[in-house]
Every structure is written in structure tokens, then in C-alpha cells.
Amino acid sequence: MPDNSRRQFLSLLSAGFAASALPGWATTPPLPARKIGVALLGLGGYSSNLLAPALEHTRYCELRGIVTGSQEKIPRWQARYAIPDTNVYSYDDMHRIADNPDIDVVYVVVPTGLHMHYAVKAANAGKHVWCEKPMAMNTSECQAIIEACKKNGVKLSVGYRMQHEPNTQLMAGYTKNQPFGPIKAVSSFAGYGGNGLPANNWRMKKNMGGGALYDMGVYPINGARFITGLEPVAVTGRHEKTHADIFTEVDETTYFTLEFANGLVADCGTSVVKSFNRLRVDCEDGWYELSPMQSYSGVTATNSNGQRFGAISGMQQTLQMDNDALALLGQGPIRVPGEEGMKDIQLVNAIFQSASSGQKVTL
Ligand code: NDP
């Protein structure tokens, strides 16, 4: 985005118009006659703390329904977000959502190992699907989601919030004009640590998509692909365990490389016990980086020209869901389609294969 429109966008954000001048939009798309109705499926931490609050600021979509397995959560959600009884579903009766014109999209926000099951159910109910990252456990599951959406004539977006974040978009845009020359090296690391060990829940279960590479690894993978615009042709992987007694099923820290056809190598890592949060691109004539690269707030871009692009003040999830809603309103592309989520899952699986064989895996 040119500097002027970027400044304008940031001032609009600080004035509280978080979604009214979406990055990448020359003019603000008009308000729709009717906003897209979203049902959140799975009312855990991410839905409660990020997505539902972000939906209070969206311009093109709003929270209209919930799908949950926890009866006790229902009264609080209904009261907080004015959700009528008719828009409350359990996982068992969610097929009834097909008859509910209030709901246009089901946003799947359950453990990764369950994404495919519920995304297919939502598509079969004739609703558009927003699916959280990582998209699913393997490429067959990703393909099943894509096919179910195609078969039912509904659209699919994967919840990569960083692809909607303005500073990340700005850095990805550098690949077009190469203001710092050709890329020489990429370093992409995302992990959380410092808060003790992760809770002993689905994030410690292999069949649920727990562990570092599924949960956090898709950030450095997707970040490296997005910021270079290139697709890896080979990967290597290596696990590191310092708490083998606790991480009995899943990986704790995984280091990996992504090799691209032009010889470029991205050096990457992810962890659920170590703090990493930086995406750096070194070029022939300079460098640029995002640090932190994937936090909910504070994502800042800097470059070797001494420029600093400060964090946005709105929520990334608001931008993401408004972009995804606009795509459903026929005003713009789906920025992160299922095929994009599936590429990362193919890489996740290849990195696991390399870590277990000790060999480079060619794609
Ligand atoms: P939580 O554990 O906090 O919540 C998961 C929710 O899923 C539960 O509260 C429950 O909701 C529902 N659920 C249904 N079946 C099960 C089951 N068998 N075991 C556990 N929970 C179940 O997870 P998060 O909210 O942190 O993560 C959910 C998804 O969102 C994951 O795919 C994760 O990767 C993604 N995520 C994405 C983030 C991002 O930045 N894009 C950040 C955090 C998470 P209920 O009680 O309503 O049935």
C-alpha cells in the first residue's frame, strides 16, 4: 500500500473505523443491505477471547449463532451477544442450521483433528465455511473439505489472520518491486514459551492436531510462503525435546528448512516451549522483517532503510472476517482459499516425515 493510503488507513483505524478502510481496498466497500451472519462452532479460547470480540467491530458480518457441546456456555453467550434460541445448536443437531436463513457461514473453531468433520457437516448444511488454521490433519482431509464445499456450492476460507494484516501484506508486496533486491535468505520462527508448559488438553494429543508443528508451525510455513510468493520444493525437519516425559505424543520444538526451486532456503522453527516470533528477509541490498510476526497485536515491520511500520490498533480478526465476508458478498477474492491451507498441511506432513527419517523430503 502506498504511504499515503497507509497513513489514511491507520488514522481511520485509530478513529475507530477499524474495518471501514480495509487494506487492499481503494475505496471503502458500501455497507451491505444485510450483513453476513456468522455462527461460531466451538466456543473455546479463540472464539471467546478473539473472534466473538472481533465480530463486534466487523462492518460486513456479525455473530448470529453458536454451535457448542457445552450447555453451560449457552446462557452467557446468548446474553452477551443477543443470540436467539433459534440460532443455538449442538454438534448433533447442527444439520438443522440448513433451514436457518440468519446463518450464512459456519466458522469452525474446534481442535484441528475435528476440523474436517465439522467443516464437511457445515458445507452439507449448505453454509459457507470458515475453517481455523491449521486446516486439517492431512491433505486427504483438506481435500474432503474442499470437495464438500464445491459439491454444495459454498465458499471456503482458512483463518490465516496474518494474510489480512497490513504490515504483513506490505512486506509480501516487496516481492513485486524488490526494493531491496533479490531475496538471499529467509528466517521464519514462531513459537510460544515463557508461560510454562501448554495445558494438558487436545494440544498434547497427536490425533487432535496438537504439538508445535501443527499448532504454531503453520505460521512460519505460511509466513515464508506468503512473504516470498514462492512454493517449497523440498523440506528437512528435526525435533528437539527437553520435556520428553510430558511431550509423549507430540512435538515440542521443531526446526525445519523450506527449499525453493530458485535455490533460496528458509530457515524455520516452531515451538510450544520456546518464544520465537520473527520473520526476516535478507536481500542483496538490504533486509526487512516482521517482529513480532504473528502476535494478536503489535505486529511491526521494519526495514534496512530505517522505516518502521507500527502495529495497527484494530483487531486482525476483524480485518480477516470482513475480507472474508466481502468475498461472500461478491466484492473481492477469497484471500486464503482451502488450497492455500492444504499446501501448508502438505509441508507439515513432509517435515514430520523428514524428522522421522532424517532425510530431506522432496515434494
Ligand atoms: P480451545 O481448547 O480453547 O477450545 C476448543 C473448543 O472446541 C472447546 O472449548 C469446545 O467448545 C470445542 N470442542 C469440541 N469438541 C472438542 C473436543 N473433543 N475436545 C476439545 N474441545 C472440543 O481451543 P482454541 O479455541 O484455542 O482452538 C480452536 C481452534 O482455533 C484450533 O484449530 C486452533 O488451532 C485455532 N486457533 C487459531 C488461532 C489463530 O490465531 N488463528 C489462535 C488460537 C486457536 P464447546 O465447549 O463450545 O463445544
Side-chain angles (χ1 to χ4, degrees), residues 32 34-40 55 58 60-66 87 97 100-107 127-130 325 328-329:
R34 178 186 164 279
K35 289 186 181 187
I36 295 291
V38 179
L40 289 174
L55 279 162
T58 42
Y60 305 100
C61 57
E62 63 190 7
L63 180 58
R64 294 222 187 99
I66 49 175
N87 292 3
I97 215 165
N100 188 338
D102 277 359
I103 312 293
D104 303 290
V105 183
V106 174
Y107 195 159
K127 300 299 171 182
H128 301 295
V129 177
W130 294 347
L328 297 181
L329 291 163

Side-chain angles (χ1 to χ4, degrees), residues 42-47 67-70 73 91 109-112 114-115 118 132-134 159 161 201-203 208 215 219 296 317:
L43 309 179
Y46 195 53
S47 283
V67 184
T68 179
S70 303
K73 294 180 184 172
Y91 299 119
V109 203
V110 287
T112 305
L114 303 171
H115 285 184
Y118 291 116
E132 249 321 309
K133 57 55 50 185
R161 58 190 160 81
N201 59 18
W202 66 269
R203 284 190 159 85
M208 282 292 201
D215 194 23
Y219 289 107
Y296 294 140
Q317 291 84 357

Side-chain angles (χ1 to χ4, degrees), residues 233-282:
V233 293
V235 302
T236 64
R238 175 173 66 85
H239 298 311
E240 178 184 271
K241 244 175 215 185
T242 53
H243 301 83
D245 50 329
I246 295 164
F247 289 87
T248 53
E249 291 189 24
V250 298
D251 63 318
E252 174 187 321
T253 298
T254 298
Y255 298 102
F256 54 98
T257 59
L258 306 177
E259 297 182 21
F260 301 92
N262 63 359
L264 177 69
V265 176
D267 187 27
C268 308
T270 187
S271 178
V272 290
V273 298
K274 289 186 176 177
S275 296
F276 313 128
N277 209 337
R278 192 170 77 136
L279 175 49
R280 180 177 170 104
V281 178
D282 282 291

Side-chain angles (χ1 to χ4, degrees), residues 71-84:
Q71 283 291 319
E72 73 282 3
K73 294 180 184 172
I74 295 172
R76 188 165 41 85
W77 276 76
Q78 285 198 269
R80 176 76 182 80
Y81 297 106
I83 296 168

Side-chain angles (χ1 to χ4, degrees), residues 2 24 36 52 93 112 118-119 126 128 131 134 143 206 220 225 258 267 276 278 320 332 345 351 360:
I36 295 291
D93 72 7
T112 305
Y118 291 116
H128 301 295
C131 180
Q143 200 62 54
K206 195 172 177 58
R225 290 181 49 239
L258 306 177
D267 187 27
F276 313 128
R278 192 170 77 136
Q320 171 201 324
I345 297 307
I351 294 163
K360 180 193 284 194

Side-chain angles (χ1 to χ4, degrees), residues 170-187 227-228 230 264-265 279-289 302-305:
L170 184 79
M171 300 282 108
Y174 283 171
T175 51
K176 285 198 195 96
N177 301 326
Q178 299 199 329
F180 301 95
I183 299 175
K184 280 194 316 190
V186 174
S187 160
I227 212 157
T228 60
L230 299 172
L264 177 69
V265 176
L279 175 49
R280 180 177 170 104
V281 178
D282 282 291
C283 305
E284 299 286 348
D285 307 318
W287 55 265
Y288 44 97
E289 71 173 36
T302 48
N303 64 37
S304 51
N305 282 350

